[in-house]
Amino acid sequence: MELSTLDYSFIIVFFSIVLGIGFYVSKKSGKNSSEFFLSGRTMPWWLLGLSMVATTFSTDTPNLVTDIVRTNGVSGNWVWWAFLITGLLTVFVYAKLWRKSNVNTDLEFYEMRYGGAPASFLRKFRAVYLGALFNIITMASVTLAAIKIGGIMLGLEPWETVVGAGLITVTFSALGGFKGVVYTDFLLFFVAMSGAIGAAYYLVNIPEVGGIEALIAHENVMGKLDIVPDFSNKKALITLFIIPLAVQWWSSWYPGAEPGGGGYIAQRMLAAKDENHAIGATFFFNIMHYALRPWPWILVALASLVVYPDITSIHEAFPNIAEDKLGQDLAYSAMLTKLPSGLLGVVLASLIAAYMSTISTQLNWGSSYIVFDFYKQQINPNATEKQMVAVGRISTVVLMILSAGLALALENALQIFDILLTFGAGTGLIFILRWFWWRINAWSEITAMFASGVISIVLKTTSLGAVLFAETTGVFPDWAEYPFVVVVTSAIWLTATFMTQPESKETLRSFYKRIQPGGPGWSKVVDDAKADGEKIKNNNEKWSVPQGITAMVLGCVLIYTIMFATGYWIYGRTEAALLLTGIAVVSGFLLIRAWNKMKENIL
């Protein structure tokens, strides 16, 4: 595939602007650690919201969606659509709590909520566990997608893509810090959105596909269109719908959809001007992420089933691709090679934008853990601001190198999604309950973290979880070990919680005074403090969680109906589309009322 001068012009202009922003903000970003990692906590909701959306565009996301659609149909996307519930709980319940904490990273929370040596260990270990291990795996997934795009669209060897894309991104990230990431995300969002929509419109209408009506009627596509799995298909119903909605969203830690908030989403909430800006940013992100963005990728994935019905056809069209990189996810990049000059340049720039946005966010977030929660805590407690920024920049480079190395060894996007999901299985409920139940302690989290990791490794290597799940359900899905890990891990950490001492009165009361979480889960702590003559509860404030859950439910109805209505409008199913659109309007009106009422009583 040959790029025209126009295509190269789009890409060169894009790179110049992004690097220019990095250099422009580098002096202020390097002033101190707060500027480098949180931009001085002055960011408005709309800029942070756009940044979250741009970050989750990612080069691996369209590849993942394509892999899912080609393998399990449109309804297969419930494995990540279910995380909307987690996202809206963060919006209406946890966003204000995170902003009240005023911590530099979400890991600093551990020594606020827990006390003593276990809390200190948990913070330091999670800094390495999440900031390095999980972060490297996530970035490797993104870089793997870039390798596949570079191989198919530009004929690049894997190492050429890794070196070229990595050098530019790590330079920009190390210079600009968080402010550079957020400012460029504003540009990256519009470039990436334009590229995704433009590619979908053009590719659905190429002669091989024949337009939307021909696409929907094609024999390779007809069985893949259902938004909800066929209820008569027991395997699909359990693995693609019931488990994600009933178990997965609350039970698993997954980057960008952490139960209780966390990760780079928490970083952006902590960088907001105030609580309302933190809430506005996260709600805007969830609307864009789930309601508006998936369909361009889904349409390209469906069109790819017409042009490249199987992996063999992809390999025949692109024989230079190494066999260990072949997979259904390659179909997205394969389809993009059919774009015309000009639009091809825009789409390539959008893919580069998606890559840079995600990697720069992961690098800045991961290095914030290493600096605040490991280096300053473990290595140099008296570190100066200049030293902390320097370590942040060095760790940025090291994380990039390690993730690039791992990317060269991986095969497909769904493989990594499965690894991340299973490794965090069973831990999610702790991240929800620790805000609202005083009895959760540091040992709860330590036990859950190690139990989930060890059990996942054992089951991945023995398939024991799949066998047990198959015996009880009659279904033998590829990731059947997931519910088994959830049950066993949850049982282990609950046992550990009641077998160990609760946190000290001083720790619990200090946390309550600062956060004011409220609710029956803290009544014992509040009552004990009152009996000791200590007032820790602000009686003028009401517990807003019930109202927050109501808003969450209404928000889920709103966003899901918008997403499904969009699909049915595309499919030409007018009656269903009109009904869902009406439900979206009503739920939106009710959500506005619930939110206004919630603001009156917000903690």
Side-chain angles (χ1 to χ4, degrees):
M1 185 185 70
E2 294 292 330
L3 296 182
S4 69
T5 302
L6 181 61
D7 295 324
Y8 279 116
S9 298
F10 278 125
I11 296 171
I12 291 170
V13 168
F14 170 76
F15 271 134
S16 300
I17 293 174
V18 168
L19 288 174
I21 292 172
F23 280 107
Y24 177 75
V25 303
S26 61
K27 185 175 181 180
K28 188 171 183 180
S29 294
K31 186 170 64 174
N32 57 56
S33 58
S34 178
E35 282 289 342
F36 191 78
F37 294 113
L38 293 172
S39 192
R41 303 183 193 271
T42 58
M43 288 290 174
W45 68 270
W46 56 270
L47 190 55
L48 290 172
L50 284 173
S51 177
M52 292 181 196
V53 181
T55 292
T56 52
F57 251 104
S58 185
T59 45
D60 65 325
T61 310
N63 284 22
L64 173 63
V65 170
T66 300
D67 199 337
I68 289 171
V69 171
R70 288 174 63 90
T71 304
N72 296 314
V74 174
S75 63
N77 285 285
W78 279 103
V79 296
W80 67 275
W81 285 346
F83 283 123
L84 172 64
I85 304 171
T86 303
L88 291 188
L89 270 180
T90 298
V91 172
F92 296 112
V93 176
Y94 297 108
K96 63 181 181 297
L97 302 177
W98 277 113
R99 194 59 187 84
K100 278 184 177 183
S101 71
N102 206 38
V103 293
N104 289 305
T105 71
D106 57 315
L107 296 189
E108 193 177 324
F109 169 90
Y110 288 123
E111 291 188 298
M112 179 193 307
R113 174 62 176 83
Y114 312 125
S120 179
F121 165 79
L122 188 58
R123 180 180 179 184
K124 294 167 188 173
F125 184 83
R126 293 282 284 186
V128 178
Y129 181 70
L130 295 180
L133 178 61
F134 260 71
N135 199 23
I136 287 168
I137 293 173
T138 303
M139 288 191 294
S141 173
V142 179
T143 303
L144 173 64
I147 288 172
K148 295 192 174 190
I149 291 169
I152 281 188
M153 300 189 69
L154 302 174
L156 298 176
E157 292 294 325
W159 71 267
E160 292 175 321
T161 301
V162 166
V163 172
L167 276 177
I168 295 173
T169 305
V170 78
T171 300
F172 155 73
S173 302
L175 284 173
F178 183 75
K179 188 184 293 288
V181 170
V182 174
Y183 282 4
T184 52
D185 277 348
F186 179 79
L187 168 67
L188 302 182
F189 168 80
F190 291 103
V191 173
M193 201 74 195
S194 299
I197 294 173
Y201 180 81
Y202 182 86
L203 292 172
V204 165
N205 290 287
I206 61 176
E208 297 99 307
V209 178
I212 190 66
E213 292 183 2
L215 172 65
I216 292 171
H218 195 279
E219 60 181 356
N220 293 350
V221 175
M222 290 178 65
K224 304 283 188 179
L225 294 173
D226 290 340
I227 296 175
V228 177
D230 182 0
F231 279 37
S232 64
N233 185 333
K234 188 176 181 181
K235 176 180 177 179
L237 183 63
I238 293 174
T239 60
L240 303 180
F241 193 68
I242 294 178
I243 289 177
L245 280 177
V247 180
Q248 181 181 297
W249 70 268
W250 59 262
S251 64
S252 184
W253 186 97
Y254 185 77
E258 301 86 348
Y264 59 79
I265 299 298
Q267 185 188 32
R268 278 155 177 73
M269 291 188 288
L270 293 169
K273 289 181 178 180
D274 53 37
E275 296 164 29
N276 285 329
H277 280 270
I279 293 169
T282 48
F283 187 53
F284 178 77
F285 159 67
N286 279 279
I287 291 176
M288 296 299 298
H289 183 58
Y290 293 100
L292 301 179
R293 198 175 53 182
W295 283 104
W297 297 330
I298 291 172
L299 287 172
V300 174
L302 293 172
S304 75
L305 287 166
V306 178
V307 182
Y308 304 104
D310 51 35
I311 294 177
T312 301
S313 61
I314 299 175
H315 196 201
E316 290 174 353
F318 303 94
N320 62 312
I321 298 298
E323 288 193 12
D324 66 343
K325 301 300 181 188
L326 282 173
Q328 299 287 4
D329 55 344
L330 274 174
Y332 188 82
S333 304
M335 290 296 292
L336 297 183
T337 63
K338 298 185 174 296
L339 295 174
S341 176
L343 180 56
L344 177 61
V346 172
V347 170
L348 273 175
S350 76
L351 293 172
I352 295 169
Y355 173 83
M356 292 185 67
S357 176
T358 302
I359 293 293
S360 60
T361 288
Q362 296 291 145
L363 288 173
N364 187 266
W365 165 60
S367 62
S368 74
Y369 281 3
I370 293 171
V371 169
F372 286 118
D373 303 300
F374 184 76
Y375 172 73
K376 187 171 175 59
Q377 292 294 308
Q378 186 71 28
I379 308 298
N380 187 4
N382 299 315
T384 64
E385 292 293 330
K386 186 176 181 180
Q387 289 174 321
M388 292 169 69
V389 171
V391 171
R393 285 173 167 160
I394 292 170
S395 60
T396 296
V397 176
V398 172
L399 289 172
M400 185 72 241
I401 293 172
L402 293 175
S403 65
L406 178 59
L408 294 172
L410 294 171
E411 295 180 13
N412 63 69
L414 200 54
Q415 170 191 20
I416 303 169
F417 181 85
D418 186 21
I419 292 171
L420 290 174
L421 204 62
T422 307
F423 242 74
T427 63
L429 190 58
I430 291 180
F431 303 129
I432 294 174
L433 291 179
R434 66 188 184 181
W435 293 94
F436 299 112
W437 186 28
W438 69 277
R439 194 59 183 82
I440 296 290
N441 59 29
W443 289 110
S444 306
E445 294 210 29
I446 292 171
T447 306
M449 178 175 59
F450 282 101
S452 177
V454 171
I455 295 169
S456 296
I457 292 172
V458 171
L459 296 184
K460 284 288 184 185
T461 57
T462 64
S463 299
L464 175 61
V467 172
L468 293 174
F469 190 70
E471 289 179 352
T472 56
T473 65
V475 178
F476 197 95
D478 295 333
W479 55 292
E481 64 268 13
Y482 179 82
F484 182 79
V485 177
V486 171
V487 172
V488 176
T489 300
S490 299
I492 290 173
W493 73 253
L494 278 169
T495 301
T497 299
F498 289 108
M499 289 182 64
T500 54
Q501 292 294 316
E503 299 298 334
S504 67
K505 288 183 178 180
E506 294 75 16
T507 299
L508 295 172
R509 292 175 186 181
S510 174
F511 176 79
Y512 195 98
K513 279 183 181 179
R514 184 168 183 172
I515 304 298
Q516 294 289 305
W522 285 94
S523 58
K524 184 180 186 303
V525 175
V526 174
D527 292 342
D528 287 349
K530 187 177 181 180
D532 292 340
E534 184 179 359
K535 182 180 178 182
I536 63 173
K537 181 180 181 180
N538 186 344
N539 293 325
N540 294 325
E541 297 177 338
K542 296 180 180 179
W543 193 40
S544 63
V545 169
Q547 293 173 325
I549 292 175
T550 299
M552 180 270 289
V553 172
L554 290 170
C556 285
V557 173
L558 171 65
I559 293 175
Y560 278 139
T561 50
I562 291 174
M563 181 170 64
F564 300 158
T566 302
Y568 285 129
W569 283 118
I570 292 171
Y571 292 170
R573 301 178 186 176
T574 306
E575 291 183 2
L578 282 171
L579 176 62
L580 289 167
T581 301
I583 295 173
V585 171
V586 173
S587 59
F589 172 75
L590 294 175
L591 178 59
I592 292 172
R593 290 187 59 185
W595 171 239
N596 288 334
K597 186 176 180 181
M598 191 175 165
K599 284 197 297 184
E600 295 174 2
N601 301 315
I602 196 169
L603 281 174

